[in-house]
Amino acid sequence: MKNKYIHTSNIRKNIIPYISIVLIFCLILPISTTTASQMIITNVNNSAPPTHQTSYTTNDKEDLIVTGYADITILFGDGNGGISQTQGYPKGDGQADVVTMDFDTDNDIDIAVTSYWDALVTVYLNDGSGAFTDISEYPVGDGVTGIDTGDFNEDHNLDIVVCAHEDTDSITILYGDGTGGFGTPTNLFPGFGFTDITAKDFNNDNHIDLAVTQFYGQQLFVLFGDGTGTFYDIDIYPIGINPYQLTSADFNNDNAYDIAITNYDQMSQGSMYVLLNDGTGGFLTQTNYPASLGPLGIVSDSFDTDTYIDIAITNFIDGTILIFKNDGSGGFTPGQELFVGAGPEGITTADFDRDGIQDLAISISYEDIICILLGTGAGTFFPHSYHTVGPVPYAIATANLNPGPELTIAFSGKNIIVKNIGDADAYNVTVLCNITGGIFGLINKHFTFSSGILEVNQEMIITLPMIFGLGPLDIYIQVAADNCNPVNASISGFIFIFFIFLHT
């Protein structure tokens, strides 16, 4: 009768030769060369085709600029409604307004701010990375408050216009030279007590006009430009008690800029004053809407899905924001009122989390913070985050100060996934892959791959090459491009002959 059992010594005799062969292959084969041509690249475009230009897109990560008593704070957005880093710069003393535009025609957004007590306009030129090392100051009228920009003499260079609260020469233009420099101030209009200014073409003659609020006179001045830097006519409108800040947009869809103004009252109910344009620059249709205590800041945009331009204001005394919803004809209904903090003042809007819905950011002067509110798409908002800024924040604005690519690395199976989640195309992308490990550390492979352009929201999928060996592995990836900082990632795994298992 045959033995039903196989002796273990026989098993060892039979399997040892095979194990020896495997070990020999695993020791010898890693010494052989594997080239980068074994890497497979697949481009997956998840968005509309970009333009292949470093330009602003719908995927911009909006940044914030906040003016304080003696400095400005820049908060760089992370694209998810949060802030990735902050940077501060000095300015003159006093209350301040802010405007952002490309003053030196280098396709980077620059900043200009006012300083009330020092009677200055400070211009910060962007070096392209979101840093501002070229800073210039220009003297203007005492108690300078509002600021805006436009090409008033139509020389294709952006100019700056400001209004002042305490000087008799209260409206001043600084004419730009196209390189970020500005000439001697030109005073346009005598007066005092001005608080805010905006530059728009109100009478549709293709020349920039001005609208200015006067606090003490309780009036709105509309100055009509002729395109040479001269303002040939002035209309004056009474607009209620203590007009403070203004915004301009087409509220009733007639292709003419209308105006909305906050009327500040700290003792009783303040209001919002809306003036509808008749298409020729006349503002005879006026409506006063009750607000809360101390209306100050104001901003306009579409906050819901009806595409009509709505309005949000800050109530300084009550510590709230108040939303006014547009009915499509330029009429407004009070909506959500939300407490945000002690002394909210400036307010701005952008899509901070890139979900296609407008959000809000508010400067809160008594607490030295700003608040980001995310929109729901129904004309309501909810608090998302608070961030510390410089002392006594006043105005707040949004812009994409450092547009550029941002590369990420992920692993899936044997694939390395490189994605551009930034807001500009990445140029000359290089991927370096180092694979080390195995028995006695004999695996030491280096692969590179280069691609001309990785577009916004585009993925580059790289399949790990075939390697023979046995034992633990360490994989290190570095991705670099000409116009962004390099990123790196590492992952460990195990190799058995030519099967790679990653520890994800």
Side-chain angles (χ1 to χ4, degrees):
M1 180 177 178
K2 293 185 179 179
N3 191 350
K4 295 189 296 181
Y5 301 100
I6 301 174
H7 199 277
T8 56
S9 61
N10 293 331
I11 295 176
R12 288 195 296 269
K13 288 179 182 178
N14 293 330
I15 199 171
I16 285 176
Y18 296 103
I19 294 176
S20 300
I21 293 172
V22 169
L23 288 175
I24 290 171
F25 270 92
C26 292
L27 291 173
I28 295 176
L29 287 176
I31 301 175
S32 64
T33 300
T34 305
T35 65
S37 61
Q38 292 176 281
M39 302 174 72
I40 301 172
I41 307 300
T42 305
N43 287 326
V44 181
N45 196 339
N46 296 324
S47 64
T51 61
H52 289 274
Q53 297 176 353
T54 305
S55 58
Y56 307 117
T57 73
T58 56
N59 295 294
D60 284 354
K61 296 179 180 179
E62 293 291 335
D63 309 312
L64 290 166
I65 307 96
V66 183
T67 62
Y69 183 84
D71 64 5
I72 67 170
T73 303
I74 296 174
L75 302 96
F76 293 98
D78 63 6
N80 298 309
I83 301 299
S84 61
Q85 60 178 318
T86 61
Q87 179 66 53
Y89 295 92
K91 61 172 274 298
D93 287 348
Q95 180 177 347
D97 198 3
V98 58
V99 68
T100 59
M101 196 61 70
D102 179 14
F103 296 121
D104 54 358
T105 62
D106 63 353
N107 296 319
D108 300 313
I109 298 298
D110 309 307
I111 300 169
V113 304
T114 59
S115 298
Y116 188 96
W117 294 116
D118 284 351
L120 292 173
V121 169
T122 306
V123 176
Y124 305 79
L125 298 181
N126 192 338
D127 68 2
S129 69
F132 298 83
T133 55
D134 189 345
I135 303 174
S136 303
E137 294 180 338
Y138 300 90
V140 289
D142 291 337
V144 60
T145 50
I147 186 171
D148 206 349
T149 184
D151 182 8
F152 302 114
N153 57 354
E154 299 180 7
D155 63 351
H156 306 292
N157 299 322
L158 281 174
D159 313 311
I160 291 173
V161 63
V162 298
C163 63
H165 192 67
E166 299 189 10
D167 201 304
T168 56
D169 292 321
S170 289
I171 301 176
T172 302
I173 291 182
L174 299 169
Y175 289 104
D177 62 10
T179 67
F182 294 86
T184 303
T186 300
N187 297 317
L188 295 182
F189 186 74
F192 67 95
F194 292 118
T195 52
D196 201 10
I197 190 167
T198 190
K200 294 286 189 298
D201 179 10
F202 292 116
N203 58 354
N204 290 312
D205 66 350
N206 297 317
H207 303 307
I208 300 295
D209 311 310
L210 300 173
V212 194
T213 49
Q214 188 184 44
F215 188 82
Y216 297 125
Q218 302 179 6
Q219 300 178 112
L220 173 73
F221 290 75
V222 179
L223 292 74
F224 296 98
D226 65 3
T228 67
T230 299
F231 293 81
Y232 61 90
D233 196 9
I234 300 173
D235 288 344
I236 302 175
Y237 300 92
I239 48 173
I241 187 170
N242 302 336
Y244 205 82
Q245 293 187 9
L246 58 82
T247 185
S248 182
D250 182 7
F251 299 132
N252 56 350
N253 298 299
D254 63 352
N255 297 313
Y257 283 106
D258 308 306
I259 296 173
I261 302 165
T262 52
N263 288 333
Y264 179 81
D265 195 328
Q266 62 182 355
M267 303 303 296
S268 61
Q269 188 178 47
S271 65
M272 179 186 72
Y273 215 80
V274 174
L275 301 91
L276 298 181
N277 192 338
D278 64 8
T280 67
F283 295 89
L284 299 179
T285 303
Q286 305 174 12
T287 307
N288 197 28
Y289 296 91
S292 297
L293 289 179
L296 279 185
I298 187 168
V299 69
S300 54
D301 210 319
S302 180
F303 300 133
D304 49 29
T305 58
D306 63 8
T307 71
Y308 303 140
I309 301 297
D310 308 306
I311 295 174
I313 68 171
T314 59
N315 296 301
F316 186 79
I317 304 301
D318 278 357
T320 63
I321 65 152
L322 177 59
I323 307 300
F324 288 92
K325 299 187 72 172
N326 191 340
D327 63 9
S329 67
F332 291 87
T333 302
Q336 180 188 31
E337 186 166 8
L338 177 67
F339 181 82
V340 292
E345 188 157 342
I347 186 168
T348 190
T349 181
D351 182 8
F352 296 115
D353 57 354
R354 300 185 296 179
D355 63 352
I357 299 169
Q358 289 300 108
D359 310 308
L360 295 173
I362 300 101
S363 59
I364 303 176
S365 60
Y366 286 163
E367 301 183 46
D368 299 340
I369 58 175
I370 64 108
C371 173
I372 295 177
L373 306 178
L374 296 185
T376 64
T380 58
F381 299 84
F382 61 92
H384 175 69
S385 58
Y386 286 81
H387 305 274
T388 301
V389 293
V392 197
Y394 296 107
I396 186 169
T398 184
N400 188 355
L401 299 176
N402 58 344
E406 181 179 348
L407 302 177
T408 63
I409 303 171
F411 298 92
S412 177
K414 290 180 63 177
N415 293 328
I416 304 163
I417 303 173
V418 177
K419 186 172 182 179
N420 181 3
I421 64 169
D423 42 42
D425 298 344
Y427 294 94
N428 296 322
V429 179
T430 301
V431 180
L432 171 66
C433 176
N434 294 336
I435 304 176
T436 59
I439 296 177
F440 306 128
L442 291 178
I443 297 177
N444 188 12
K445 298 294 182 182
H446 308 280
F447 309 99
T448 60
F449 178 82
S450 296
S451 176
I453 296 177
L454 188 61
E455 299 173 353
V456 172
N457 278 349
Q458 196 171 59
E459 292 178 351
M460 183 165 61
I461 301 175
I462 304 168
T463 301
L464 290 172
M466 182 178 293
I467 295 177
F468 292 93
L470 180 67
L473 287 180
D474 290 309
I475 300 174
Y476 173 82
I477 307 293
Q478 184 179 71
V479 183
D482 286 353
N483 56 334
C484 72
N485 294 325
V487 293
N488 57 73
S490 59
I491 192 171
S492 58
F494 189 86
I495 186 170
F496 178 73
I497 307 179
F498 51 79
F499 296 101
I500 296 177
F501 305 93
L502 299 182
H503 298 159
T504 57

